[in-house]
Amino acid sequence: MDYDNDIHYPDTCKLAAERGIVVNTILCGNNKDTHKIWNEIAKKAEGRYFQVEQSGSAILIDTPFDNEIADWSRRLDSTRIYYGLAGMQLQMRERAKDSETFYYKADTSAIAQRAAFNSSIAGKDNFRGSQELLGALMDGKIDLDKLSESEMPEEMKKLNDEERKAYIEKKTAEREEATARIKDLSEKRQAFIQKIMDEKKLDKKSSLEYQLFECIRSQAAKAGIKYNDVGPQM
């Protein structure tokens, strides 16, 4: 707002609203000046303003299951195989490298949350990305026998037809095992977290995660998208 050649936020908010883009604002702390501006931005962009503690109000609880979930998450990630034109395959492999970086930068509780989502029905598209071969085969979108040589994943081009089918079966079995293990461990993890929250009398509905969930759920309903009442993984 201090520069003559900048686009001021009221104009940005108006453009966003015209395009159906909702802008939500979150204030961490009690700064009165920020409260005024954040509230105005949310109103002008048809979003919601809400406030959390300076700490962020996130509930972060380490569990005995996090490391094992992270290990199975790596195995799940390793089952992704990309097909299609060379440029698309390269783009998706670069995306997969980004997720590998996540393991070195994030703590195990965040990795466990991500794994629980990616192994769920809701998270399968996020996990797969575009042009993921196993997912496309499972969904019946493509036929392996009709896939051209140029669209074949690099690691499968040197294989014959029988070897390719065996490779797909092996990767599919690995994915199913990893998904099942993550689901089982995630349920145990969530039960452990709930027990700690009950003992410490922590209110899940006051957490940042739950407030984000409720905000998105109410706004998505206007577009005909419905979420269940379970709430987010903690």
Side-chain angles (χ1 to χ4, degrees):
M1 299 290 285
D2 295 334
Y3 301 93
D4 292 336
N5 62 345
D6 198 1
I7 299 175
H8 293 178
Y9 71 76
D11 298 327
T12 305
C13 292
K14 181 181 177 182
L15 291 171
E18 288 173 354
R19 288 163 174 75
I21 299 170
V22 176
V23 180
N24 300 302
T25 58
I26 307 169
L27 173 61
C28 291
N30 299 294
N31 186 289
K32 292 182 179 180
D33 291 334
T34 308
H35 162 79
K36 180 181 177 181
I37 296 172
W38 262 215
N39 200 25
E40 187 179 3
I41 289 173
K43 286 181 178 178
K44 288 182 178 296
E46 300 182 4
R48 183 188 294 182
Y49 161 84
F50 55 99
Q51 190 171 340
V52 296
E53 297 175 6
Q54 188 66 45
S55 64
S57 300
I59 295 177
L60 300 174
I61 299 174
D62 293 328
T63 82
F65 310 102
D66 292 349
N67 287 330
E68 192 174 355
I69 293 174
D71 180 55
W72 280 107
S73 180
R74 279 178 177 272
R75 298 190 198 188
L76 181 63
D77 283 354
S78 72
T79 65
R80 288 181 293 206
I81 314 168
Y82 297 108
Y83 72 98
L85 299 178
M88 177 59 74
Q89 288 193 45
L90 177 61
Q91 181 181 336
M92 289 297 102
R93 284 196 295 270
E94 289 299 319
R95 182 178 183 272
K97 286 181 182 178
D98 290 340
S99 67
E100 182 64 25
T101 304
F102 178 73
Y103 289 105
Y104 296 102
K105 293 184 176 180
D107 60 40
T108 51
S109 63
I111 294 171
Q113 282 183 313
R114 170 184 177 272
F117 177 70
N118 279 348
S119 61
S120 69
I121 294 174
K124 70 176 183 178
D125 290 336
N126 179 68
F127 164 69
R128 294 174 183 177
S130 302
Q131 304 290 109
E132 201 283 312
L133 184 59
L134 291 189
L137 290 170
M138 289 176 185
D139 295 342
K141 292 181 178 179
I142 62 168
D143 186 335
L144 185 63
D145 295 329
K146 295 180 181 179
L147 200 63
S148 67
E149 192 73 20
S150 62
E151 294 181 306
M152 193 70 66
E154 287 298 322
E155 60 267 45
M156 292 176 61
K157 285 183 178 179
K158 57 187 178 183
L159 307 178
N160 61 39
D161 289 345
E162 288 189 7
E163 290 172 333
R164 286 171 179 172
K165 290 179 180 178
Y167 182 76
I168 291 295
E169 288 175 2
K170 177 176 178 291
K171 285 291 185 182
T172 300
E174 289 175 357
R175 178 171 296 184
E176 289 174 349
E177 181 185 16
T179 300
R181 291 294 293 145
I182 290 171
K183 183 177 184 295
D184 178 59
L185 289 165
S186 295
E187 289 174 356
K188 293 176 180 177
R189 176 180 182 271
Q190 197 66 22
F192 180 91
I193 290 174
Q194 189 61 56
K195 182 173 181 291
I196 297 295
M197 290 176 65
D198 291 342
E199 289 173 354
K200 294 185 177 182
K201 293 182 170 54
L202 296 173
D203 180 14
K204 181 173 81 169
K205 292 188 176 182
S206 67
S207 70
L208 174 62
E209 294 91 343
Y210 201 89
Q211 290 189 60
L212 290 172
F213 172 76
E214 282 299 314
C215 178
I216 293 169
R217 181 166 67 169
S218 66
Q219 292 168 352
K222 297 175 183 177
I225 301 170
K226 294 184 179 180
Y227 290 82
N228 61 32
D229 295 323
V230 175
Q233 286 275 338
M234 306 304 289

